[in-house]
Amino acid sequence: MQTRTILVVDDDPHIRDVICFALQKASYSYEVATNGKEALDKASLFDPALIVLDIGLPELDGLDVCRHLRKTSEVPILFLSARDEEIDRIVGLELGADDYVTKPFSPRELVARVGAILKRYGAQRPDPDAEFASPLKQGCLSLDKGSRLVQVSDTQVDLTAIEFEILATLLGRPKIVFTREQILDGAYKDNIHVSDRTIDSHIRNIRAKLSSAGCDDAVETVHGVGFRLGPCQSAVTEQSD
């Protein structure tokens, strides 16, 4: 039984009922919102464990709701959309969503994705060795699996659970070039199908967040192959100039 509540946001009562019934069968508790403003109000009121968020909401759409939430919160977000355009998925992921499901969808798949996301966040049982493992470091960048803390020099960087796992994969073997498939295997451990384009979106997010903290060379693209960890020397260089 889950101890925290999932917020379901959709203006279509039939879809809300389908989602809520599926969540209830899987022993998740839930609250509902029918528009973007109500979603923001409820998210601030009871701090949901995850938000299932329709993009096509009236007035304040799902993308705008996500933008507002990401200013102050790292709550996991699973987007729903009636459109299957790649650009919509990319925009949603770049705004900080954790996953994306296209309507019509299988309720069982949606619940499986909800469970997979929650396992990657606080609902996941901690790695028993993580508390005692030394932080992973490269140049000005450090990542501590035990505390789930990422820093550029003395600046903390807030990453989503998936972004954290991707960066941990790269930092764990800094000389290796990882293919997108290898990164998918490392970050998505729940055997959920995810497009490799999703990795590109998460990499862009990681680069942007680390660059804002002073490290703009953290991830290198190896064309035709994938990605590897960069030298992470930007902030160090700036301090020594």
Side-chain angles (χ1 to χ4, degrees):
M1 183 70 69
Q2 303 297 316
T3 57
R4 292 178 62 197
T5 302
I6 294 171
L7 178 60
V8 178
V9 187
D10 200 301
D11 61 322
D12 185 323
H14 172 69
I15 291 177
R16 285 200 309 272
D17 288 346
V18 168
I19 296 171
C20 292
F21 180 72
L23 291 173
Q24 186 177 37
K25 283 186 64 177
S27 299
Y28 291 103
S29 61
Y30 62 84
E31 288 281 344
V32 300
T34 60
N35 58 63
K37 183 181 183 303
E38 186 180 8
L40 292 174
D41 289 343
K42 288 199 171 183
S44 64
L45 182 65
F46 68 85
D47 187 25
L50 178 145
I51 300 177
V52 179
L53 179 60
D54 181 33
I55 288 182
L57 296 170
E59 299 179 17
L60 192 68
D61 69 18
L63 296 177
D64 286 331
V65 172
C66 184
R67 288 189 186 96
H68 282 285
L69 288 169
R70 283 295 176 255
K71 292 177 181 178
T72 58
S73 172
E74 290 297 322
V75 59
I77 294 174
L78 171 63
F79 267 134
L80 297 178
S81 177
R83 299 178 296 185
D84 192 20
E85 296 293 332
E86 183 180 69
I87 186 64
D88 293 327
R89 293 194 297 273
I90 291 173
V91 169
L93 292 167
E94 289 182 342
L95 286 174
D98 293 83
D99 207 344
Y100 190 109
V101 173
T102 304
K103 300 176 185 178
F105 56 86
S106 159
R108 293 178 68 180
E109 180 186 358
L110 184 141
V111 169
R113 288 177 179 266
V114 165
I117 293 170
L118 290 175
K119 284 180 182 178
R120 295 194 295 265
Y121 277 79
Q124 185 177 25
R125 180 173 295 177
D127 180 348
D129 297 323
E131 181 181 355
F132 306 102
S134 299
L136 300 173
K137 294 184 178 181
Q138 174 89 326
C140 60
L141 178 63
S142 68
L143 180 149
D144 190 326
K145 288 187 175 182
S147 63
R148 308 289 292 183
L149 181 65
V150 176
Q151 288 183 292
V152 172
S153 297
D154 295 325
T155 302
Q156 182 174 333
V157 180
D158 294 324
L159 301 181
T160 67
I162 282 295
E163 292 165 2
F164 184 93
E165 294 299 334
I166 291 173
L167 188 59
T169 297
L170 297 175
L171 267 166
R173 301 181 70 186
K175 296 182 179 180
I176 300 298
V177 178
F178 290 89
T179 66
R180 288 173 176 81
E181 183 176 6
Q182 289 171 325
I183 294 174
L184 284 172
D185 289 342
Y188 290 85
K189 300 180 176 63
D190 306 284
N191 201 27
I192 296 293
H193 174 71
V194 180
S195 166
D196 59 5
R197 293 286 186 177
T198 300
I199 291 298
D200 291 9
S201 298
H202 288 310
I203 291 289
R204 279 193 289 270
N205 279 353
I206 292 168
R207 282 172 168 159
K209 291 179 179 181
L210 296 179
S211 179
S212 295
C215 179
D216 58 10
D217 59 354
V219 182
E220 295 180 344
T221 300
V222 180
H223 295 290
V225 183
F227 303 97
R228 68 181 170 206
L229 191 69
C232 306
Q233 295 297 328
S234 299
V236 174
T237 302
E238 290 174 6
Q239 290 171 4
S240 61
D241 285 345

